[in-house]
Amino acid sequence: STTVDSSLPLSGQHVVVTLGGTKEPIDPVRYIGNRSSGRQGMAIATQALAAGARVTVIAAHHEVSAPAGVTVVSAPTALKMQAAIAQVWDDLDVLVMAAAVADYRPAEYHGEKLKKASGKLNRIELVENPDVLAHFGHLERGSRFLVGFAAETLTGEDAKEAAQAKIFAKRVDLLALNLVGESTGFGDVPNSLIMMDSAGEIVAQFAGTKIEVAQALINQIVLARESREE
Ligand code: CTP
Ligand code: CA
């Protein structure tokens, strides 16, 4: 529908959520990728929509479908994701970078499937991908609000320090620290997030289903943007 409920906390706002793990192709059948089902990101998109926002999902890959009313753009690699965000940058208010972006990609793409016996599959040269979030974090951002994620297998102070380094390097307004392991964080499982502000302070912590965590994250974005206006 075209009705805008202006009483909702994100009405009139365009929220862009990137999600899923990028797949950096080696040849037509093989890739180097990052684990991420896109479920947490899709839950965030769902809750942003419920909060009245116009929502665009930029998906590297997703194992769950998008709710009706969300625009989905496909961006399977880091470079394509950066280009897709650039397309909507002028028109976005909140960017939630939930995608698991591969840090490196194969230096060359082979248009033909490499044969096992070719001797080319045991050493694949990699080149660094751009840090997409840092790229946008360093642009003239106006009132745009940037949310990053940090996946860490570290614990305690070490995890906090690693997250702080990411906050400063990428210039995010809010960072969701996700403590991941073999059996936590990925897939159809509950999640827990430690929220940190642009100064690197812990401002909230929440655990629950991915939809509960997404709702808490949206609330945190609304709160942080309100306090910035004061
Ligand atoms: N990110 C990005 N572009 C990259 C790598 C990461 O935009 N090339 C974003 C992710 O989407 C996430 C945040 O940066 O929001 C942190 O990602 P993470 O992998 O935890 O951090 P890195 O800076 O890549 O550090 P490392 O993998 O060494 O922990
Ligand atoms: Ca990384």
Side-chain angles (χ1 to χ4, degrees):
S1 100
T2 52
T3 3
V4 173
D5 185 342
S6 57
S7 65
L8 292 170
L10 289 178
S11 59
Q13 303 296 300
H14 184 201
V15 175
V16 175
V17 183
T18 72
L19 54 81
T22 69
K23 295 181 175 184
E24 311 291 333
I26 297 166
D27 68 18
V29 299
R30 303 181 179 93
Y31 63 84
I32 291 175
N34 256 36
R35 271 181 81 183
S36 170
S37 66
R39 280 186 176 81
Q40 185 62 72
M42 211 57 98
I44 293 164
T46 303
Q47 296 311 103
L49 195 68
R54 179 158 60 90
V55 181
T56 300
V57 157
I58 298 178
H61 151 91
H62 54 104
E63 291 165 22
V64 287
S65 54
V70 167
T71 303
V72 181
V73 176
S74 164
T77 67
L79 291 175
K80 285 181 174 160
M81 184 161 281
Q82 180 157 314
I85 299 168
Q87 285 285 320
V88 292
W89 177 252
D90 285 344
D91 179 45
L92 75 82
D93 299 293
V94 178
L95 173 65
V96 181
M97 198 72 198
V101 182
D103 295 314
Y104 286 82
R105 67 177 182 277
E108 49 176 336
Y109 173 73
H110 297 271
E112 304 285 327
K113 182 186 171 189
L114 288 169
K115 299 308 289 179
K116 184 166 58 180
S118 68
K120 289 189 169 171
L121 284 166
N122 57 340
R123 271 193 197 92
I124 294 172
E125 199 192 322
L126 302 177
V127 292
E128 200 170 346
N129 270 328
D131 188 316
V132 177
L133 184 53
H135 168 78
F136 290 100
H138 284 79
L139 290 185
E140 194 62 65
R141 74 166 79 180
S143 61
R144 293 176 191 80
F145 192 88
L146 267 53
V147 183
F149 271 74
E152 301 291 350
T153 53
L154 298 167
T155 52
E157 276 303 303
D158 292 339
K160 192 180 165 193
E161 279 170 26
Q164 284 169 336
K166 290 177 186 179
I167 291 169
F168 305 140
K170 300 167 199 268
R171 293 197 187 163
V172 294
D173 298 294
L174 199 62
L175 187 94
L177 170 58
N178 202 353
L179 301 178
V180 298
E182 273 305 312
S183 58
T184 50
F186 295 113
D188 190 12
V189 295
N191 206 1
S192 69
L193 294 180
I194 298 168
M195 302 304 304
M196 298 168 75
D197 65 13
S198 57
E201 299 298 330
I202 294 178
V203 290
Q205 204 158 343
F206 25 80
T209 64
K210 287 190 171 178
I211 206 80
E212 288 165 348
V213 165
Q215 182 55 58
L217 178 81
I218 293 295
N219 292 345
Q220 203 62 45
I221 292 170
V222 170
L223 271 175
R225 291 180 83 221
E226 278 170 5
S227 69
R228 198 169 65 174
E229 280 162 18
E230 284 160 11

